[in-house]
Amino acid sequence: MACFLDASDSIAQQQLSGTIFDATTDSTLQDVFIINLNSNQTTVVSKSGRYNIPAAEGNRIVFTAIGYEPDTLKVEFHMFVTGYDISLKQRYNLLKTVVVTERDYQTDSLERREAYRHILDDPLPGITGRNTPSSGFGVVLSPASFFSSKSKQERELKKKLLYNEKVAYVDFKFSRSFVQRYTGLKGDSLQTFLLRFRPSYEFCRQSNQEDMINYINEKLKIYLRREENK
């Protein structure tokens, strides 16, 4: 059977590339997730800030990153010739004083998940089929996709995102203002206490406010004894 290629098929094979910058600092950005809304193809920006994604003229490309306003680009022909750099605007003014509350943490967490929804909600790249056993036994890997550069980038980004989420949660439960309230420590003493007695993510998840206060009081006794013995 003869197979005919539509003109749009060859156009779709073109690569749109460029560099992504912070609009305020002009520094390059990494961990930016890019999706072609027309073809549903995705990619992740490299450590150098460079991106490369298959696209056709008229396609809409969305760039998303934590802490930045998403940007949508409509592809024009000249962009394939010259390349196209993107500058993302910071979502928040970092100079403002932010009071951290439960709602702030939940909002930030939801924003992180929404920005990287396509990575966090999908199974690990390279695993064939969606009905894979929870134990991992019987999982069939596709070598070509599992070891591809894009799959490796997405696995590394997903791992980094999950780690950052845990760090953010510990920062929330063991916040500077909360610890200062129950220890009375300030300045370098407070910073030393925060670093030396930072609890684990697992403990923070399992503990309520009373547990955390008891934890801080116990560690404060240890801290003060060490200071006295100096």
Side-chain angles (χ1 to χ4, degrees):
M1 178 183 295
C3 179
F4 299 96
L5 293 176
D6 188 273
S8 62
D9 292 330
S10 60
I11 295 176
Q13 299 303 310
Q14 296 187 77
Q15 297 290 315
L16 179 67
S17 60
T19 304
I20 302 182
F21 297 92
D22 181 304
T24 303
T25 65
D26 286 333
S27 58
T28 56
L29 297 178
Q30 55 181 336
D31 295 344
V32 179
F33 182 74
I34 307 172
I35 181 169
N36 184 325
L37 295 180
N38 297 83
S39 65
N40 209 35
Q41 290 176 292
T42 63
T43 189
V44 180
V45 174
S46 69
K47 292 181 179 179
S48 65
R50 294 284 298 173
Y51 75 90
N52 192 57
I53 189 169
E57 188 175 355
N59 282 177
R60 291 190 177 276
I61 314 295
V62 177
F63 301 80
T64 57
I66 293 173
Y68 291 83
E69 295 285 350
D71 196 4
T72 302
L73 169 70
K74 184 177 181 180
V75 179
E76 298 178 8
F77 177 75
H78 70 86
M79 297 175 183
F80 295 114
V81 180
T82 62
Y84 196 81
D85 295 343
I86 294 288
S87 292
L88 297 183
K89 297 179 180 179
Q90 294 183 19
R91 185 181 295 272
Y92 305 113
N93 184 348
L94 299 180
L95 298 179
K96 292 182 179 179
T97 300
V98 178
V99 178
V100 178
T101 64
E102 175 71 23
R103 182 177 179 278
D104 291 327
Y105 169 76
Q106 291 178 345
T107 301
D108 289 345
S109 183
L110 288 173
E111 178 190 320
R112 287 190 289 271
R113 176 160 288 279
E114 180 59 27
Y116 293 97
R117 176 170 52 85
H118 296 85
I119 288 180
L120 293 174
D121 290 349
D122 284 346
L124 287 175
I127 297 181
T128 60
R130 291 182 176 271
N131 298 319
T132 54
S134 59
S135 64
F137 292 102
V139 173
V140 180
L141 297 180
S142 171
S145 60
F146 187 81
F147 293 106
S148 70
S149 176
K150 177 189 172 184
S151 295
K152 182 178 179 181
Q153 281 183 327
E154 291 190 3
R155 289 196 302 274
E156 290 178 349
L157 178 56
K158 184 171 184 177
K159 184 177 179 180
K160 183 175 181 179
L161 291 172
L162 295 175
Y163 171 77
N164 288 345
E165 185 66 23
K166 291 182 177 181
V167 170
Y169 187 75
V170 175
D171 288 342
F172 160 68
K173 291 293 291 278
F174 196 64
S175 70
R176 189 180 189 88
S177 59
F178 186 78
V179 173
Q180 183 177 13
R181 185 189 311 166
Y182 290 99
T183 63
L185 299 175
K186 297 179 180 179
D188 292 341
S189 297
L190 176 59
Q191 185 64 25
T192 299
F193 184 90
L194 289 168
L195 294 173
R196 184 179 296 170
F197 299 109
R198 182 179 176 85
S200 68
Y201 170 77
E202 289 72 20
F203 173 78
C204 290
R205 273 296 179 191
Q206 297 169 3
S207 64
N208 55 29
Q209 187 177 43
E210 183 179 353
D211 294 331
M212 186 59 73
I213 292 173
N214 289 335
Y215 171 85
I216 291 173
N217 286 336
E218 287 300 316
K219 298 305 180 183
L220 180 61
K221 294 175 184 177
I222 298 174
Y223 175 82
L224 293 176
R225 281 200 297 270
R226 289 181 179 178
E227 291 300 304
E228 290 175 357
N229 292 329
K230 282 185 177 180

